[in-house]
Amino acid sequence: MAMARMFRLRDIVFVVCLGRMTPRPRAGHSTVTKGRGWPPAWVCRVVPSRHVRVVDLGCVLGPRALLIDVAFEVSDGPLALLGPSGSGKSLTLRCLLGLAPATARVRGELHLKDGRQVALADRKRLAALRGRGLTLLPQEAAASLDPVRTVAAQLRELLKLHGDGDDTPESLLELVGLRGELLGRYPHALSGGQAQRVALALALACRPAVLLVDEPTASLDTLAQQQALTVLQTTCAARDVDLVFVSHDLALAARVCRHAVVLDSGCVVEAGTMAEIFGSPVHVTTQTLVAAARRADELWRLVEAPGPEDMS
């Protein structure tokens, strides 16, 4: 068994073992759990990285493996997580947030841009990251809002918990393209598009490093979808927020993301740029998604084509 000698240098605790010196993180810092033995579970491995990475994510519930070695990197713009219903897209987001089913066994690591590497089995550390680290924009925006509190009250609460003093409820609504007069409204008085933008304003109030977006336009009409996607792109770019965009609609995701990962039955079956996936899909699941997206584009062209009366 390795012998360790601990001593204090100023206010940082170091551990010397076999000639190596490793800093112990202060209270509140994220850690990586490496199992029993040496090094201790609280040692935080800091590796410089400019990107957010998910490494070897697995999730087992009872006898079933729901996610198997899911891995991806958010770099060079937003990343799309694509796949049919039940492929594991939303579950992947839940595992990153520490919200997997209570009886599920999760493994893998989350690498952040500041160098921290957090074990995805460590729900307490992941809970500490929610807000300033990772924030979720849920699929049903209206259902995620508190029905008995005004928009202003909900924004002020998040700003008090996670804000940095620069944002106000008015400035956040302006950021997402809404008027300040909506601050006094309750969620039931908002349209679907307005509720989606308010939910985005609530997410941005946390100043997250990574925004996880789960089917953000599923309940919106076509015009509201276009507006929501435009606001999502501009606000994330303005605040330098990394975006993970979950969708089963490849055509929709292609308007937002440059890179994509395709899931099927809890596994990554294909990954690449949108141009590569559209141009030469390899896996049958990807081919099906591409075919559906092309049919959608054809319908759009038919809808947007001028009628006989317009040509006269």
Side-chain angles (χ1 to χ4, degrees):
M1 179 177 181
M3 300 298 295
R5 177 168 59 90
M6 301 186 65
F7 63 94
R8 184 174 296 275
L9 178 62
R10 293 182 180 179
D11 61 340
I12 303 177
V13 178
F14 288 88
V15 176
V16 177
C17 179
L18 301 178
R20 300 178 62 184
M21 186 176 292
T22 307
R24 177 175 182 170
R26 297 183 182 181
H29 284 211
S30 297
T31 61
V32 173
T33 302
K34 296 299 290 181
R36 297 178 181 177
W38 188 265
W42 45 256
V43 171
C44 180
R45 294 184 289 127
V46 178
V47 179
S49 174
R50 296 186 297 110
H51 308 307
V52 175
R53 293 189 181 95
V54 174
V55 181
D56 296 335
L57 168 59
C59 180
V60 177
L61 185 61
R64 293 186 57 198
L66 303 180
L67 296 174
I68 304 171
D69 295 333
V70 174
F72 55 85
E73 178 180 289
V74 185
S75 62
D76 193 24
L79 174 77
L81 283 184
L82 305 172
S85 297
S87 60
K89 305 184 301 296
S90 296
L91 180 60
T92 297
L93 299 190
R94 292 180 64 182
C95 290
L96 298 183
L97 293 163
L99 298 175
T103 57
R105 302 188 303 278
V106 181
R107 61 175 175 80
E109 290 184 344
L110 172 64
H111 298 194
L112 299 174
K113 288 200 294 187
D114 60 8
R116 288 177 294 172
Q117 300 183 10
V118 184
L120 293 173
D122 194 338
R123 294 176 185 253
K124 290 185 178 179
R125 298 297 181 184
L126 292 174
L129 287 177
R130 291 200 293 266
R132 297 302 293 269
L134 302 170
T135 298
L136 175 69
L137 182 61
Q139 181 173 345
E140 295 293 339
S144 69
L145 303 177
D146 190 335
V148 298
R149 304 183 68 194
T150 64
V151 172
Q154 297 182 59
L155 285 170
R156 280 196 292 265
E157 180 181 20
L158 276 180
L159 288 173
K160 183 178 179 180
L161 292 173
H162 301 288
D164 58 4
D166 295 332
D167 292 321
T168 64
E170 293 79 8
S171 68
L172 287 169
L173 283 194
E174 182 180 357
L175 181 66
V176 297
L178 294 177
R179 301 184 304 275
E181 64 189 45
L182 297 181
L183 287 170
R185 293 191 186 180
Y186 290 88
H188 72 268
L190 303 173
S191 67
Q194 289 172 339
Q196 189 71 41
R197 295 195 195 191
V198 169
L200 177 59
L202 289 167
L204 295 174
C206 301
R207 291 274 178 170
V210 184
L211 181 60
L212 308 175
V213 182
D214 190 3
E215 301 277 6
T217 61
S219 58
L220 302 180
D221 59 54
T222 303
L223 180 59
Q225 282 185 1
Q226 298 291 340
Q227 294 172 342
L229 291 179
T230 300
V231 169
L232 183 64
Q233 286 178 282
T234 55
T235 52
C236 287
R239 297 214 166 187
D240 192 26
V241 176
D242 285 324
L243 180 64
V244 177
F245 187 94
V246 167
S247 180
H248 65 273
D249 188 338
L250 199 151
L252 196 67
R255 300 174 190 177
V256 179
C257 305
R258 298 180 59 184
H259 298 266
V261 171
V262 182
L263 297 178
D264 189 25
S265 301
C267 301
V268 174
V269 295
E270 195 158 352
T273 65
M274 281 296 183
E276 293 169 344
I277 288 177
F278 261 110
S280 55
V282 177
H283 194 270
V284 63
T285 299
T286 313
Q287 293 170 355
T288 303
L289 293 173
V290 170
R294 287 172 176 163
R295 285 196 297 270
D297 286 343
E298 291 172 2
L299 289 174
W300 270 110
R301 284 194 292 270
L302 289 174
V303 170
E304 295 173 347
E309 66 279 1
D310 299 324
M311 300 178 65
S312 58

